[in-house]
Amino acid sequence: MIPDKMYLWADRGALFECVIANNSEGPEETAVNHFHHGIKDLATIFFYMLVAIIMHAIIQEYVLDKINRKKHFSKTKHSKFNESGQLSAFYLFSFGWGASILLSENFLSNPVTLWEGYPHTLMPFQMKFYFICQLGYWLHSLPELYFQKTKKEDIPRQLVYISLYLVHIAGAYILNLNRLGLVLLVLHYFVELLFHISRLIYFSNENRQTGFTIWAVLFVLGRLLTLSLSVLTVGFGLANAENQGFDWAAGNFNVLFIRITVLAAICLTQAFMMWKFINFQLRRWREHAQAQSLKKKQVPSKSKSKKDKANGVNGVNSHGADSPRARKEKSS
């Protein structure tokens, strides 16, 4: 047998701590690599941030700009179309990749693994690489605010949701809650993917709004499921785990203060998202009601104008001067 050993593995200038675990269940031994997180991951995150900037520029130039030139969108629709186009590509890629990791690691078939065996300091390569790419992408969104010449009034909104992504992803990565973080990211990305695809379809044809209705239902369900999984994992699973206490070296952060902080951050974020969602729906309903009222006002005015053309203004025939009586009076 090959003894277990630890070594340092280099990737793009960053060093990963790697553990080789022998699998002796089958007739042949197979080595499975697992990785820690560390301070040297920052170099890798920076590298993939640059990769994300390049990919962003490629999608913008060769896909989105060509569509914009054909559709001739207004400035408002142009910026929203670019935003939804970029995020749709990212959410689709991240959702597919994250779902494949969940299936390969059997996290969905056995939810107990979300908290069982905590701290989860060792990660398979795909999971570690997934979190590094996520952090790299959302960090690249900060310089993109300058490159894309984002409007000043839109910058605060962009900074808020970029900061929320970075805080939650980095928190799950550092606190060794990577399994819970992966499940919640895949769930969230699926709902967001549906919204941005629906918005792209709406820009092509404003009558197609069915996607927004489906998204609204899934958005509420996604928030409820996120809260349920978080409370189940952090509030009950980790609270009843045998491995309690704070140990930075061992990666154990299972103490009451950190559990409450994590749950509070998740609950406040979900409440903020629901508040924004409710305001968005109320604004849409008001706009729809105003549009319907304008249509109702325009219908009688149009019918009255047609009647006026036929019968004259205020019921007097506009062609009265050409009537036989008028000609007779004029001849006399």
Side-chain angles (χ1 to χ4, degrees):
M1 289 183 60
I2 302 175
D4 293 345
K5 60 182 179 180
M6 183 176 294
Y7 64 92
L8 295 178
W9 179 74
D11 176 38
R12 302 292 185 181
L15 297 178
F16 294 165
E17 286 187 351
C18 172
V19 174
I20 297 181
N22 291 323
N23 183 7
S24 58
E25 295 178 357
E28 297 181 357
E29 295 181 354
T30 57
V32 180
N33 297 337
H34 289 81
F35 299 84
H36 294 279
H37 64 74
I39 191 65
K40 295 179 180 179
D41 292 342
L42 294 176
T44 312
I45 293 172
F46 178 76
F47 172 80
Y48 285 103
M49 181 189 73
L50 300 179
V51 173
I53 292 176
I54 295 172
M55 295 302 299
H56 187 112
I58 291 174
I59 294 174
Q60 183 67 43
E61 182 175 356
Y62 292 99
V63 179
L64 299 179
D65 286 346
K66 290 184 178 180
I67 298 176
N68 280 319
R69 284 193 290 267
K70 291 181 180 179
K71 295 294 184 178
H72 302 288
F73 290 131
S74 62
K75 290 184 178 180
T76 303
K77 284 188 176 182
H78 180 83
S79 61
K80 290 183 178 180
F81 179 83
N82 289 337
E83 179 186 5
S84 292
Q86 294 285 351
L87 289 176
S88 295
F90 170 72
Y91 287 143
L92 179 62
F93 174 75
S94 298
F95 169 73
W97 187 10
S100 67
I101 297 174
L102 292 178
L103 294 176
S104 62
E105 298 297 326
N106 297 321
F107 291 154
L108 296 179
S109 60
N110 188 15
V112 180
T113 56
L114 295 179
W115 64 84
E116 190 177 34
Y118 181 85
H120 306 133
T121 55
L122 298 179
M123 295 173 284
F125 172 75
Q126 289 291 333
M127 183 181 292
K128 180 179 177 65
F129 190 41
Y130 183 84
F131 276 94
I132 286 176
C133 290
Q134 296 299 311
L135 292 171
Y137 179 85
W138 291 112
L139 281 174
H140 111 280
S141 300
L142 296 174
E144 284 296 338
L145 295 177
Y146 173 76
F147 295 148
Q148 295 295 320
K149 298 180 180 179
T150 306
K151 296 180 180 178
K152 291 183 178 180
E153 57 270 19
D154 292 337
I155 290 179
R157 176 182 65 86
Q158 300 273 0
L159 290 177
V160 166
Y161 82 76
I162 291 173
S163 301
L164 288 175
Y165 275 112
L166 289 173
V167 168
H168 285 75
I169 296 173
Y173 187 64
I174 295 172
L175 298 176
N176 294 315
L177 294 171
N178 40 68
R179 298 182 181 181
L180 175 64
L182 179 62
V183 174
L184 297 184
L185 275 178
V186 171
L187 175 63
H188 176 74
Y189 284 165
F190 174 73
V191 178
E192 291 298 302
L193 173 64
L194 180 60
F195 170 76
H196 287 285
I197 289 179
S198 300
R199 192 155 74 163
L200 291 176
I201 295 174
Y202 172 77
F203 287 148
S204 62
N205 188 350
E206 295 186 356
N207 294 324
R208 297 178 180 177
Q209 301 187 27
T210 308
F212 290 115
T213 305
I214 301 174
W215 164 76
V217 176
L218 292 180
F219 183 89
V220 177
L221 294 177
R223 306 286 70 78
L224 295 175
L225 189 55
T226 298
L227 290 174
S228 301
L229 287 174
S230 301
V231 172
L232 179 64
T233 303
V234 181
F236 292 99
L238 294 181
N240 298 323
E242 297 179 357
N243 195 6
Q244 300 281 338
F246 179 82
D247 188 349
W248 181 273
N252 188 8
F253 303 95
N254 192 10
V255 293
L256 179 61
F257 175 75
I258 294 180
R259 291 199 302 268
I260 292 176
T261 303
V262 170
L263 282 178
I266 295 175
C267 291
L268 288 175
T269 303
Q270 302 307 307
F272 173 74
M273 294 175 66
M274 280 300 302
W275 177 68
K276 298 288 287 184
F277 170 78
I278 292 172
N279 287 335
F280 172 75
Q281 293 297 331
L282 290 176
R283 185 170 65 252
R284 283 190 64 204
W285 290 337
R286 284 196 298 267
E287 292 175 355
H288 181 71
Q290 291 176 358
Q292 292 296 326
S293 62
L294 288 175
K295 288 182 179 179
K296 290 180 180 179
K297 290 179 180 179
Q298 290 175 358
V299 169
S301 62
K302 288 181 179 180
S303 60
K304 184 178 179 180
S305 62
K306 291 180 180 179
K307 187 176 180 181
D308 292 342
K309 289 180 180 179
N311 300 327
V313 181
N314 296 327
V316 179
N317 195 334
S318 59
H319 299 285
D322 297 331
S323 62
R325 177 179 294 180
R327 290 196 299 269
K328 185 175 180 182
E329 290 177 354
K330 188 175 182 180
S331 60
S332 63

